[in-house]
Amino acid sequence: MENRGRGTRAEYWRYRKEEELARAEESARTIALIAHDNKKQDLCDWAREHRETLAHYRLCGTGSTAKLVSSDLGLDVAALQHGPLGGDVQIGAMIVDGLVDAVVFFWDPLEPQPHDPDVKALIRLATVWDVPTACNRSTADAVLLSLEAETRRVWDLNPETEVA
């Protein structure tokens, strides 16, 4: 007698686990981390203070920032291109596609940037698409608190929903 699509009990539970992981991954929120050279240490210090909270989110960032935060905190941070090589544009595209829920961008307003048009485009896209954007520690704290409050609110409305 053939199996007709039914697997073993172990295969069923493995499938269910994969399905749950995929669903949890879909519901996980994404935070983009970006910092200009003079602000990378500030971003790492901020991220270190919030490591336990950030561990519940998907993280991505531009080249060296992502690598620095990942190695410093031991968290998985998806590294895109280096900012001047298109990393800011990549994050902008992710914003347009609805793949970024918040941006923490410690930019240096006192230092000219060769890719300034990309920086302005990224900030413009985050504003147009209503993505919370933090440019310093105080606003980064506020954005993270807001994301956490929203996560708790969703959980209170539907306790069976798996949230980040």
Side-chain angles (χ1 to χ4, degrees):
M1 182 182 227
E2 73 183 73
N3 197 342
R4 296 199 180 221
R6 292 181 52 195
T8 66
R9 188 173 296 202
E11 288 171 337
Y12 170 77
W13 287 111
R14 187 175 27 242
Y15 169 78
R16 287 292 306 257
K17 185 66 174 171
E18 288 172 7
E19 189 178 88
E20 286 175 25
L21 288 172
R23 194 174 319 115
E25 221 174 85
E26 287 175 13
S27 67
R29 309 196 76 170
T30 301
I31 300 174
L33 303 173
I34 310 162
H36 286 155
D37 290 342
N38 292 341
K39 298 292 183 172
K40 288 190 191 313
Q41 192 56 53
D42 289 344
L43 179 65
C44 281
D45 292 345
W46 175 83
R48 200 174 305 108
E49 285 177 26
H50 298 283
R51 187 199 182 286
E52 295 306 313
T53 302
L54 291 172
H56 296 285
Y57 292 88
R58 272 196 222 144
L59 303 173
C60 68
T62 53
S64 55
T65 301
K67 291 174 188 164
L68 185 63
V69 171
S70 181
S71 67
D72 195 31
L73 274 65
L75 295 175
D76 186 26
V77 183
L80 303 171
Q81 289 295 321
H82 185 61
L85 298 178
D88 298 329
V89 175
Q90 285 179 304
I91 291 176
M94 290 173 68
I95 289 170
V96 171
D97 289 339
L99 301 175
V100 173
D101 299 291
V103 176
V104 176
F105 187 177
F106 284 15
W107 61 285
D108 188 350
L110 302 177
E111 196 68 34
Q113 300 296 325
H115 63 298
D116 195 50
D118 295 345
V119 171
K120 287 181 179 171
L122 173 61
I123 293 170
R124 184 180 314 110
L125 288 170
T127 303
V128 167
W129 288 94
D130 200 25
V131 173
T133 304
C135 294
N136 56 41
R137 292 176 76 97
S138 298
T139 55
D141 289 345
V143 165
L144 201 55
L145 280 172
S146 176
L147 288 174
E148 286 297 293
E150 187 174 326
T151 299
R152 282 192 299 277
R153 186 172 56 249
V154 168
W155 178 257
D156 289 343
L157 293 175
N158 186 2
E160 298 201 12
T161 302
E162 194 157 333
V163 291

